[in-house]
């Protein structure tokens, strides 16, 4: 089934540890995004990639890094996790044109203790 | 700054009609999206408006007034499965999506 796969589904992480959230899509979409969703707030963009080999910073990039080595994969890395990074993380993709809707993965629920 | 406002929570009765409003103030406008998000799940696309007027898609309709910075999502013949959060998002002049916090819709029998 075509779509976006995120892993892990959930994770409890000790503060200071490094963690990579995985995201893979099989729709050959050019654009990919990482969002975090916190209670009472709208989705906030962390990083994005308009095409393989390029990445950009979103609204809340600090403490996170991404890479886009190929079209399908867009991992998000927390170099040294802090409790404020406790959130639900969604990966999304789109063909890249302006009015194309986003397709979201099922999310990763991350708790940093 | 850029801002999207939606009611935090609404309650409606099964079989009824509900209107969820969204007002926005953004740097430019390149379209407005509505997404549905069931608890614990991913958002899924419902509708897109870029021109003024009403877009109808089955039981769901979405309206846009660009001059007023206003949109609404209309849900008819409500079903229990429509209990979810509804997210309004505006694409600004840089083609970046600005998201509202979402409206949690509770459907009662």
């Amino acid at each position: 089934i075509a779509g976006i796969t995120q892993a892990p589904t959930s994770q409890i992480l000790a503060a200071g540890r490094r963690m990579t959230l995985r995201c893979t899509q099989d729709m050959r979409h050019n654009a990919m995004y990482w969002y975090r969703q916190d209670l009472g707030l709208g989705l906030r963009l962390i990083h994005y990639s308009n095409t393989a080999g390029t990445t950009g910073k979103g609204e809340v990039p600090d403490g996170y890094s991404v890479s886009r080595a190929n079209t399908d994969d867009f991992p998000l890395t927390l170099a040294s996790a802090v409790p404020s990074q406790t959130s639900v993380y969604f990966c999304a993709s789109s063909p890249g044109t302006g009015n194309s809707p986003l397709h979201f993965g099922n999310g990763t629920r991350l708790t940093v203790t | 700054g850029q801002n999207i406002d939606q009611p935090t929570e609404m309650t409606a009765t099964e079989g009824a009609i509900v209107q969820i409003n969204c007002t926005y103030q953004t740097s430019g406008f390149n379209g407005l999206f509505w997404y549905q998000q069931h608890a614990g799940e991913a958002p899924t696309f419902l509708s897109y408006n870029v021109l003024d007027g009403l877009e109808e898609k089955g039981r769901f309709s979405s309206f846009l007034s660009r001059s007023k910075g206003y949109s609404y999502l209309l849900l008819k013949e409500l079903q229990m499965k429509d209990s979810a959060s509804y997210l309004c998002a505006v694409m600004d002049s840089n083609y970046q999506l600005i998201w509202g916090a979402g409206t949690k819709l509770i459907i009662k029998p």
Side-chain angles (χ1 to χ4, degrees):
Chain A
I1 298 175
I4 299 182
T5 302
Q6 289 186 237
T9 303
S10 65
Q11 182 75 43
I12 299 174
L13 186 68
R17 298 297 296 269
R18 180 184 180 90
M19 173 78 189
T20 295
L21 308 185
R22 301 184 298 279
C23 175
T24 300
Q25 55 105 356
D26 61 3
M27 297 175 285
R28 308 303 294 172
H29 283 173
N30 284 322
M32 297 187 75
Y33 310 85
W34 274 105
Y35 286 94
R36 60 178 290 173
Q37 187 174 42
D38 301 290
L39 197 64
L41 299 177
L43 288 162
R44 291 184 292 170
L45 183 64
I46 304 170
H47 284 286
Y48 65 93
S49 170
N50 287 330
T51 189
T54 68
T55 62
K57 293 182 179 180
E59 179 187 357
V60 289
D62 293 345
Y64 306 95
S65 63
V66 292
S67 62
R68 187 87 184 277
N70 56 60
T71 298
D72 299 344
D73 301 301
F74 192 43
L76 176 74
T77 297
L78 288 68
S80 179
V82 295
S84 62
Q85 292 178 310
T86 293
S87 187
V88 180
Y89 291 85
F90 286 102
C91 180
S93 72
S94 76
T97 56
N99 61 356
S100 298
L102 298 182
H103 297 254
F104 285 87
N106 287 328
T108 294
R109 184 173 296 274
L110 181 66
T111 302
V112 182
T113 60
Chain B
Q2 308 201 88
N3 194 51
I4 310 285
D5 285 318
Q6 311 178 231
T8 302
E9 187 175 296
M10 299 181 70
T11 303
T13 304
E14 189 177 16
I17 299 173
V18 71
Q19 177 175 311
I20 302 174
N21 296 326
C22 171
T23 58
Y24 62 89
Q25 295 169 309
T26 57
S27 302
F29 180 85
N30 279 304
L32 185 145
F33 296 81
W34 283 97
Y35 285 78
Q36 180 190 60
Q37 185 178 25
H38 286 100
E41 298 184 8
T44 56
F45 170 73
L46 286 178
S47 68
Y48 170 76
N49 295 70
V50 67
L51 299 176
D52 290 351
L54 189 69
E55 294 279 344
E56 298 186 77
K57 192 183 294 185
R59 293 188 299 114
F60 292 9
S61 303
S62 56
F63 172 83
L64 175 67
S65 169
R66 289 172 295 171
S67 63
K68 295 182 179 178
Y70 168 70
S71 172
Y72 67 72
L73 181 68
L74 191 72
L75 291 73
K76 303 176 185 176
E77 301 169 14
L78 286 170
Q79 302 175 9
M80 297 304 293
K81 68 178 182 179
D82 297 330
S83 291
S85 289
Y86 292 86
L87 313 181
C88 174
V90 173
M91 186 163 282
D92 70 10
S93 57
N94 294 319
Y95 290 92
Q96 296 293 320
L97 275 176
I98 312 301
W99 294 82
T103 298
K104 182 178 181 180
L105 178 63
I106 300 168
I107 309 297
K108 295 185 174 180

